Amino acid sequence: MTTFEKRIQVNFSQSQMYNLVADVAAYPDFLPWCRQVEILASQPEAKMVRIGLRFQQFPELSLTTRATFHPPSSLHLRLVSGSFLSQFEGDWFFEATGEKTCTVTFAVKYRFANGLLRLTLAPFFSLMVRMLPGVFIQRAEEIYLHA
């Protein structure tokens, strides 16, 4: 299983960063590899979400996750089904360090459905996972600093 974790101190509040990550419907607006988001089921503390990914050789990549929300401190994603992954767990943690600062931790574990998919998709998916925290910080700058 592949794992990745990144912890970053940011100049945005815990609530600001949590709200940005929790707004899954907005992902296609700023995540370049996100083709579409479909909310399959929604409850106050959880959503079932299908995310379509953009990758040239595999236009139909998608994964369905159950997102569990614990505002404003954490968000947890667990794989329900996917076209290319057999396992996926993603966790976001937001720890207030001041009135307008927080520490964001992103941790992910995943396994490809088979060796051929791993060979083909690992470079793309690994880069996407590593870029994700930075893309959300860039989005925060666009929304909160230039509003």
Side-chain angles (χ1 to χ4, degrees), residues 86-125:
S86 62
Q87 292 179 291
F88 177 83
E89 297 177 12
D91 297 291
W92 290 91
F93 299 96
F94 310 93
E95 180 184 345
T97 55
E99 188 176 313
K100 295 187 182 214
T101 60
C102 75
T103 299
V104 176
T105 303
F106 173 61
V108 67
K109 300 178 196 177
Y110 58 92
R111 183 184 318 271
F112 289 98
N114 62 53
L116 180 59
L117 287 171
R118 181 176 48 77
L119 285 172
T120 306
L121 295 175
F124 159 74
F125 198 72

Side-chain angles (χ1 to χ4, degrees), residues 41-62:
S42 185
Q43 301 168 346
E45 295 95 25
K47 289 181 183 174
M48 187 86 67
V49 180
R50 180 179 301 126
I51 298 175
L53 301 175
R54 233 181 240 122
F55 186 63
Q56 295 173 19
Q57 292 90 335
F58 294 89
E60 298 302 319
L61 290 180
S62 68

